[in-house]
Amino acid sequence: MTWKVEIDPQQCIASGSCPAIAPNLFVVDGAHARPLKDVIEEDERALDAADVCPAMAITVRDGEQVVGPRP
């Protein structure tokens, strides 16, 4: 299974928390973070990054279902 990872540039504050948790999935690129790939294999670290994002800018989807951030 694969997940789609998105970062909303309008919400992202480039805190660096996502690449700190998953440096192989995210990078801070200028004023915003971005995923290194839009589609990834299921990876718990992507969910962890979405959970701790202070701006709640990361969304992880499995098809149409949002799986991260977790409630």
Side-chain angles (χ1 to χ4, degrees), residues 15-53:
S15 72
S17 62
C18 54
I21 289 174
N24 65 322
L25 299 177
F26 300 97
V27 65
V28 174
D29 192 12
H32 302 96
R34 65 177 175 82
L36 292 173
K37 297 179 184 175
D38 292 334
V39 177
I40 63 168
E41 295 297 318
E42 289 184 21
D43 190 325
E44 189 73 18
R45 291 170 302 152
L47 298 179
D48 293 341
D51 291 344
V52 302
C53 177

